[in-house]
Amino acid sequence: MSWALWLAVPLAVTTIAALLSWWRGRPVRTPQPLEAMRAHAAYLDALVTAPRGKARIDATDIVNPGDVSNVNTQGAAAPPAAEDRPSV
């Protein structure tokens, strides 16, 4: 009779695993229209809101705001001239 217990344990574990897999794999319910509209509005607001954290421009981009000769066409600071570079 102990053989039945040895066979029942793996069967029970397999059955529980199959039920849990089925439960987790169910499709997500379709949201109600008002709920979906609120979620979409929140998504659009997040796209418009400025990000927090690191600045979008580098400090080297603003060398001298009044002087445009130090800025190249891409908006980044131009490399220093040969006479401005430190000698090695």
Side-chain angles (χ1 to χ4, degrees):
M1 190 62 161
S2 64
W3 61 269
L5 182 62
W6 281 102
L7 289 178
V9 171
L11 180 65
V13 170
T14 303
T15 304
I16 291 171
L19 287 173
L20 289 175
S21 297
W22 169 79
W23 184 263
R24 296 278 296 161
R26 292 177 302 143
V28 179
R29 72 171 178 83
T30 305
Q32 297 298 321
L34 289 176
E35 183 183 352
M37 290 170 57
R38 279 190 213 107
H40 183 65
Y43 171 74
L44 292 178
D45 288 341
L47 291 177
V48 173
T49 306
R52 298 183 192 126
K54 295 182 179 178
R56 289 188 173 266
I57 60 171
D58 192 48
T60 59
D61 290 346
I62 306 172
V63 178
N64 186 357
D67 183 17
V68 292
S69 64
N70 63 348
V71 177
N72 63 20
T73 57
Q74 284 77 30
E83 60 271 1
D84 294 340
R85 292 186 194 136
S87 60
V88 181

